[in-house]
Amino acid sequence: MESASPPSQDVKRKAAREVIDILHEIATLLNTHLDRQQLSYCVSLIENGANPEALAKVIRQLRAEYPAESSDNDDAEEGAAAR
């Protein structure tokens, strides 16, 4: 009988990246305007005990207080980050 060895760091990273990719697709469909890095931060905060509803409220408040210059700028930054 073989003992199951713990997954390597590369396997864990790949799995985490796939999860973020799927969550990003969902976030995009829901028009959250969160990029992969921002989404990753949110997931990490929630995994560490942050209240998801409170986090969403803070994000909405920050967006209201500090509006983005334009949505075209966000798309350009996302494209540059993917390169």
Side-chain angles (χ1 to χ4, degrees):
M1 196 190 249
E2 280 186 41
S3 64
S5 63
S8 72
Q9 291 295 344
D10 288 340
V11 172
K12 288 180 183 178
R13 272 192 215 104
K14 184 177 179 184
R17 190 172 294 123
E18 288 176 4
V19 168
I20 293 298
D21 286 345
I22 291 167
L23 289 175
H24 186 256
E25 288 180 29
I26 294 168
T28 300
L29 290 171
L30 295 173
N31 294 319
T32 63
H33 304 288
L34 293 172
D35 63 26
R36 281 178 172 79
Q37 185 174 10
Q38 293 166 334
L39 192 58
S40 180
Y41 289 143
C42 290
V43 169
S44 180
L45 286 167
I46 292 167
E47 286 177 343
N48 286 296
N51 180 320
E53 290 179 19
L55 181 59
K57 185 176 180 178
V58 168
I59 291 170
R60 282 192 301 270
Q61 287 174 338
L62 287 171
R63 285 185 174 165
E65 242 178 271
Y66 304 100
E69 290 180 19
S70 73
S71 61
D72 294 337
N73 190 24
D74 291 342
D75 294 342
E77 287 175 4
E78 238 182 84
R83 289 183 205 143

